[in-house]
């Protein structure tokens, strides 16, 4: 019968009832579910198990059905890291887990379809430890990534006020903290060049800028190219 470790939990299938159990770590097995209810047969099997994209899949006999299940939530990158140093950022915000590599979003997991599953909790956010194995390599400059919202630093949405200085102040605070996520909430924010040769915004290292989809807009002042 199938047996594997999923998100830190040892689970196993059985016969003759095709039941699935979870080991509770104290010499006890807890029944999770029964998968096959085919009538008038001697054996029903929770047959093989495999893990993919944060879910465990179990095939059954004699019904021939495949079931999926997950314990908790995990954000996963679908391809391995290339050689060399990379900036990796893990973000937990409300109902979402996100992972960024070199400021590029490479994995996202959302529990919005399950209202009672709230990712905002006091449990640790694990970096470098996946469902079945740990990261093998060197880690450097590991630090918690706080959120910095531009409206907390003076930016105001949906008006003619130039928000460049407020956004730069937010970026500076994020840099001073050693990195994090700069949040641009819903609304339109005006930005402009602060000097003839200066960039409009300069994103520090270890900083992720995240908006609310199409609802977050940075609008260039008409004189931005003057």
């Amino acid at each position: 019968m199938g047996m594997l470790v999923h998100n830190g939990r040892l689970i196993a299938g059985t016969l003759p009832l095709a039941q699935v159990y979870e080991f509770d770590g104290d010499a006890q097995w807890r029944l999770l579910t029964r998968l096959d209810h085919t009538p008038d047969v001697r054996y029903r099997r929770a047959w093989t198990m495999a893990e993919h994209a944060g879910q465990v899949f179990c095939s059954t006999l004699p019904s021939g059905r495949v079931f999926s299940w997950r314990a908790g939530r995990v954000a996963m990158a679908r391809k391995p890291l290339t050689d060399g140093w990379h900036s990796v950022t893990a973000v937990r915000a409300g109902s979402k887990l996100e992972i960024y590599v070199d400021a590029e979003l490479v994995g996202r997991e959302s529990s919005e379809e399950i209202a009672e599953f709230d990712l905002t909790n006091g449990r640790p956010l694990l970096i470098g430890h996946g469902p079945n194995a740990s990261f093998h390599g060197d880690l450097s400059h590991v630090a918690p990534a706080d959120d910095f919202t531009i409206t907390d630093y003076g930016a105001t949405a949906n008006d003619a006020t130039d928000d460049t200085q407020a956004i730069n102040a937010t970026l500076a605070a994020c840099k001073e903290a050693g990195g994090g996520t700069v949040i641009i909430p819903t609304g339109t924010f005006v930005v402009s060049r602060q000097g003839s040769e200066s960039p409009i915004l300069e994103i520090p290292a270890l900083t992720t800028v995240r908006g609310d989809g199409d609802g977050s807009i940075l609008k260039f002042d008409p004189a931005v190219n003057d």
Side-chain angles (χ1 to χ4, degrees), residues 83-117:
D83 293 341
W85 286 99
H86 297 276
S87 171
V88 179
T89 304
V91 178
R92 177 172 61 193
S95 62
K96 295 179 181 179
L97 289 175
E98 297 175 332
I99 184 167
Y100 295 80
V101 175
D102 299 327
E104 178 185 356
L105 178 64
V106 296
R108 172 182 288 159
E109 178 66 22
S110 173
S111 65
E112 291 177 346
E113 74 280 6
I114 305 178
E116 66 271 17
F117 196 100

Side-chain angles (χ1 to χ4, degrees), residues 193-205:
R193 197 181 306 278
Q194 301 299 292
S196 60
E197 300 297 330
S198 67
I200 298 173
L201 297 173
E202 185 172 350
I203 311 302

Side-chain angles (χ1 to χ4, degrees), residues 22-151:
E22 175 188 24
F23 186 61
D24 68 2
D26 192 27
Q28 298 291 327
W29 289 87
R30 180 173 65 90
L31 177 64
L32 295 177
T33 189
R34 177 178 172 181
L35 298 180
D36 199 316
H37 296 267
T38 304
D40 304 322
V41 295
R42 184 174 182 180
Y43 293 113
R44 305 165 189 86
R45 297 172 171 86
W47 191 232
T48 60
M49 292 186 179
E51 193 173 48
H52 175 69
Q55 298 184 77
V56 59
F57 294 82
C58 181
S59 63
T60 61
L61 289 175
S63 67
R65 295 181 177 179
V66 177
F67 296 84
S68 66
W69 176 75
R70 68 178 68 198
R73 289 294 188 268
V74 57
M76 304 175 65
R78 299 301 179 89
K79 57 184 180 181
L81 293 174
T82 57
D83 293 341
W85 286 99
H86 297 276
S87 171
V88 179
T89 304
V91 178
R92 177 172 61 193
S95 62
K96 295 179 181 179
L97 289 175
E98 297 175 332
I99 184 167
Y100 295 80
V101 175
D102 299 327
E104 178 185 356
L105 178 64
V106 296
R108 172 182 288 159
E109 178 66 22
S110 173
S111 65
E112 291 177 346
E113 74 280 6
I114 305 178
E116 66 271 17
F117 196 100
D118 185 7
L119 289 172
T120 304
N121 56 66
R123 301 296 297 273
L125 178 64
L126 301 180
I127 302 174
H129 181 77
N132 296 317
S134 298
F135 172 75
H136 297 286
D138 296 323
L139 295 176
S140 178
H141 303 295
V142 178
D146 293 329
D147 289 347
F148 300 83
T149 303
I150 63 173
T151 51

